[in-house]
Amino acid sequence: MSSIAQDLDAVRGTLPKGVRLVAVSKFHPIDKLMEAYNAGQRAFGESRVQEIVQKIPQMPSDVHWHFIGHLQTNKVRQLLATRAIDLIESVDSEHLLAAIDREAERLGIVARVLLQVHVAAEETKFGFSPLDLLDYFSNRRFEQLKATHICGIMAMASNTDETERVKADFAAAAALKKQIIDMCPDLRGFDHLSMGMSDDYPLAIAAGADIVRVGSKIFGLREY
Ligand SMILES: *Cc1c(COP(=O)(O)O)cnc(C)c1O
């Protein structure tokens, strides 16, 4: 067994039923992705449009591609034109959401997305603030979408060794998801909570994550 297959098995062994593993393959070459594929992995996560559009045609067509990086509005067309994106997890503004919706409608497809919420301690430009996210749903602006299905939320915890802080971030994201569902009980298919990476995914699962995005624990360290 290759070491990628072994590491994949080790991670899988820790996942409860119903938790989906996205193998984050950014910056790794196709032969490594194929090792994971041959070990049964089907969901892969990439964070750059340039890279994912190159990789898609080189991989088997039953791969589920998740886009997890910051997406610039002017790259939406290129990304959706692949018609191979299962889920855009990193929708971090209403502006981007509107751009995705327009392009999906134009292509005659339904874009599946998660809204990225910013719960971590770090300053970042990316992600809805919890207040903006609640405002979006309480004013039911999702009803304006024509070709986009919001499937849930995505979050990242603070980049720290302090377990309590990480737990609090994950709990905040899980609470937001619940608040949104309580506020909009008619919302269909708002099911997913994507959180947890190599160093913190067990804590994310304990807090309610049903999608985890694990890279270095499977593929080793990235060379940027
Ligand atoms: C890179 C990345 C991951 C995976 O990180 P690892 O620490 O290598 O597991 C998960 N989520 C996002 C959004 C990422 O950019």
Side-chain angles (χ1 to χ4, degrees), residues 104-165:
E105 192 186 20
R106 201 184 68 87
L107 289 168
I109 61 176
V110 173
R112 297 175 69 250
V113 306
L114 304 180
L115 301 186
Q116 181 176 350
V117 59
H118 176 59
V119 291
E122 289 92 22
E123 288 289 327
T124 163
K125 317 197 276 286
F126 304 129
F128 285 78
S129 73
L131 277 177
D132 287 347
L133 194 68
L134 291 172
D135 182 72
Y136 179 78
F137 284 99
S138 69
N139 289 298
R140 301 184 66 87
R141 290 202 289 282
F142 56 85
E143 288 178 344
Q144 297 163 8
L145 299 172
K146 298 195 174 101
T148 308
H149 180 185
I150 302 176
C151 303
I153 65 181
M154 185 271 249
M156 272 184 272
S158 304
N159 185 13
T160 170
D161 292 337
E162 288 173 53
T163 305
E164 290 313 311
R165 174 74 222 193

Side-chain angles (χ1 to χ4, degrees), residues 45-111:
E46 291 282 339
S47 60
R48 298 183 302 172
V49 172
Q50 199 63 19
E51 187 171 345
I52 199 170
V53 298
Q54 280 175 11
K55 283 177 170 173
I56 286 169
Q58 298 184 66
M59 289 291 288
S61 59
D62 63 345
V63 165
H64 299 283
W65 293 101
H66 289 222
F67 191 81
I68 63 169
H70 174 60
L71 178 57
Q72 288 170 279
T73 315
N74 63 7
K75 300 263 176 75
V76 167
R77 177 161 293 186
Q78 200 187 357
L79 184 66
L80 289 184
T82 62
R83 296 175 181 266
I85 308 302
D86 193 48
L87 191 61
I88 303 176
E89 298 201 16
S90 44
V91 175
D92 54 13
S93 70
E94 285 190 49
H95 179 64
L96 175 60
L97 185 57
I100 290 170
D101 195 47
R102 270 196 307 278
E103 191 57 23
E105 192 186 20
R106 201 184 68 87
L107 289 168
I109 61 176
V110 173

